[in-house]
Amino acid sequence: MSEPNATILSASGAVGPAAAAPTIAGVERRVLIASLTGSAIEWFDYFLYGTVAALAFNRLFFPNFDPVVGLMLSYLSFSLTFFIRPFGGFLFSHIGDKIGRKRTLVLTLSLMGGSTVLIGLLPSYESIGIWAPILLVTLRAIQGLGIAGEWGGALLLAYEYAPENRKGFFGSIPQMGIPLGLVLATLSLSLMSLLPDDQFLAWGWRVPFVASAALVFLGLWIRNGIDETPEFEKAKRAGDVAKVPLFDTLRYHWREVLIATGAKVVETAPFYVFTTFVVSYATTTLKIERFTILNSITVATIITTLMIPVMGRLSDRFGRPQVFLTGTVLMALFAFPYFMLLDLRHYWAVALATIVAVGLIWAPINATLGTLMSEIFATRVRYTGITLGSQIGAAIAGGTAPLIATWLLVTFNGNWSAVALYIIGCALVSLVAVLSIRRLAP
């Protein structure tokens, strides 16, 4: 059962009455910028790998296999890190709940940025043989460790500074980093894709990886001027800091961890289908130009980046569960129409499918997920609780999504119906999880 300081969720699902939006104080503005900047950099590094995995890694690091097997091995290197992330979550959430949110964020950003630059400098299989895929997977694992701790810290930096009636809005700002990072990744690769194929494979894909070093230094500089969150400082002064946060979380909040894990499924699995799996599906199976699909993803992610804070503010008015569940139901309903539009193989149809799925339907899910998770855990174990839920959910549903989608497509002889049913199944899991919420911790 939950710890005794949990409060009852109101019938509307909101955590407080809607009120006129107050002016954001200077310190709060800096917190939001620091939270968004770091989050965007982390996800830029992360999505950069996922997109290049679909375009080049199967040929550069796994070249001695059948093309389909090589692609699946490339996706496997993408998905393995999702299973590393829970271990990174254990480590960094312990630091975050014991020592503080800010220090943890500096460490996670450094790990993430360093591994990304090294991937850009990594020799191919042709140059160093089997060491190329081994080093690639190792560096990818380090990325996974970094992102595991980064997400929870960036979220809590914003959430724990937020006024009570704007927690939905504040909590949505670091969530903008996910599509914003994807925009930066796909935009940079779209530019590199203008190169001839041989030059893209030789050096073009490396440029965004190496250039990300400048973004990492920028993120560290911005975060350096931010103080620890008021809620953590208050808990620390009161002595309300868990000795072993993981034990307290599993003892008092195991139900909430299960709910957070289930809620994560619809946010992560369909997203990787729409943004990672679809790159190879569209270019190989449907013979759609690479530039077309990458541009569609870029436009869709720009739209969802703008929609996320709007959805966050709506959640302050109508409640997090209501906004989240609306997006979840729409996700299930659009699974089949999404692939029907792709099958038309026209630019407008590909763009429309991607914009609706990623730009509009995914936005309310992503915008509210972090705040929804934060509200079901007490401050003393909040970092650990949301990290466990999100990283276990990501490991189960996110890392495996491109691999499962590719396997389903091959197994059913190119019939996408199985992939659409997979998306619907993910939505149903999250629907049940969020409907199970009964209590929210302050």
Side-chain angles (χ1 to χ4, degrees):
M1 57 186 290
S2 298
E3 289 180 301
N5 61 344
T7 56
I8 302 295
L9 173 65
S10 68
S12 68
V15 294
T23 302
I24 301 175
V27 64
E28 293 168 349
R29 186 178 295 109
R30 289 196 300 272
V31 164
L32 291 180
I33 293 173
S35 180
L36 174 60
T37 303
S39 178
I41 293 169
E42 294 279 357
W43 288 106
F44 166 74
D45 291 351
Y46 204 70
F47 287 129
L48 194 59
Y49 184 103
T51 306
V52 177
L55 297 176
F57 285 170
N58 57 320
R59 290 186 279 177
L60 291 171
F61 295 98
F62 308 98
N64 292 337
F65 300 96
D66 174 87
V68 173
V69 176
L71 178 61
M72 293 188 72
L73 286 173
S74 182
Y75 277 147
L76 185 61
S77 73
F78 175 76
S79 64
L80 280 177
T81 58
F82 283 82
F83 298 97
I84 297 294
R85 283 166 62 170
F87 297 101
F90 298 152
L91 172 64
F92 293 118
S93 62
H94 178 84
I95 298 172
D97 277 329
K98 285 283 290 183
I99 300 175
R101 306 353 183 173
K102 176 185 173 180
R103 295 179 186 179
T104 309
L105 288 172
V106 171
L107 180 58
T108 57
L109 186 58
S110 300
L111 279 176
M112 188 76 180
S115 60
T116 300
V117 173
L118 289 176
I119 287 174
L121 299 173
L122 191 63
S124 67
Y125 187 96
E126 184 179 350
S127 299
I128 59 174
I130 193 63
W131 282 105
I134 290 174
L135 290 173
L136 179 69
V137 171
T138 300
L139 291 171
R140 180 62 172 168
I142 296 173
Q143 275 192 328
L145 291 175
I147 198 66
E150 165 67 24
W151 180 81
L155 174 67
L156 294 185
L157 189 65
Y159 176 83
E160 293 185 349
Y161 262 100
E164 284 300 319
N165 66 327
R166 301 202 79 190
K167 285 192 176 294
F169 173 73
F170 273 58
S172 71
I173 298 302
Q175 294 295 89
M176 293 171 64
I178 301 175
L180 188 57
L182 182 56
V183 167
L184 294 174
T186 53
L187 183 60
S188 62
L189 286 175
S190 292
L191 293 175
M192 293 296 104
S193 293
L194 296 176
L195 294 170
D197 192 60
D198 58 334
Q199 291 186 35
F200 177 82
L201 288 174
W203 60 268
W205 69 269
R206 299 178 183 274
V207 173
F209 283 85
V210 177
S212 69
L215 298 176
V216 173
F217 284 120
L218 173 64
L220 291 173
W221 177 73
I222 292 175
R223 284 183 173 178
N224 189 51
I226 302 298
D227 294 328
E228 188 52 76
T229 71
E231 289 190 29
F232 181 80
E233 288 291 355
K234 181 181 177 181
K236 193 173 181 180
R237 287 194 300 269
D240 188 24
V241 177
K243 291 183 179 179
V244 185
L246 178 62
F247 291 168
D248 279 15
T249 303
L250 295 179
R251 180 181 179 184
Y252 296 109
H253 287 279
W254 62 270
R255 289 186 181 87
E256 285 85 346
V257 171
L258 291 178
I259 289 171
T261 300
K264 179 71 174 175
V265 171
V266 74
E267 185 262 357
T268 189
F271 182 76
Y272 285 111
V273 171
F274 297 148
T275 60
T276 301
F277 161 77
V278 74
V279 175
S280 63
Y281 172 67
T283 55
T284 58
T285 302
L286 300 181
K287 306 302 180 184
I288 296 172
E289 291 184 4
R290 182 174 60 194
F291 192 73
T292 296
I293 189 64
L294 290 177
N295 273 355
S296 298
I297 293 172
T298 300
V299 172
T301 47
I302 290 173
I303 292 173
T304 202
T305 302
L306 299 175
M307 290 296 294
I308 283 172
V310 175
M311 294 300 165
R313 190 66 188 108
L314 285 177
S315 77
D316 284 325
R317 182 174 181 85
F318 299 107
R320 253 66 76 188
Q322 282 78 354
V323 176
F324 182 93
L325 291 174
T326 298
T328 300
V329 171
L330 291 174
M331 182 70 74
L333 293 175
F334 191 65
F336 275 84
Y338 171 78
F339 284 100
M340 290 176 177
L341 284 169
L342 291 184
D343 261 357
L344 296 178
R345 308 185 189 198
H346 294 299
Y347 179 83
W348 68 266
V350 173
L352 179 62
T354 309
I355 288 171
V356 172
V358 179
L360 302 178
I361 293 176
W362 187 73
I365 297 172
N366 175 261
T368 54
L369 178 67
T371 310
L372 191 67
M373 286 185 180
S374 299
E375 290 172 339
I376 61 178
F377 293 100
T379 304
R380 68 198 308 266
V381 295
R382 185 173 289 145
Y383 205 137
T384 302
I386 66 172
T387 300
L388 279 178
S390 65
Q391 299 311 320
I392 294 173
I396 293 172
T400 58
L403 194 62
I404 289 175
T406 301
W407 176 79
L408 288 172
L409 198 67
V410 173
T411 301
F412 290 91
N413 299 316
N415 190 334
W416 50 258
S417 296
V419 183
L421 289 173
Y422 168 62
I423 293 172
I424 293 172
C426 292
L428 290 176
V429 169
S430 296
L431 188 72
V432 171
V434 174
L435 288 174
S436 300
I437 295 176
R438 292 294 181 270
R439 300 170 68 86
L440 296 181

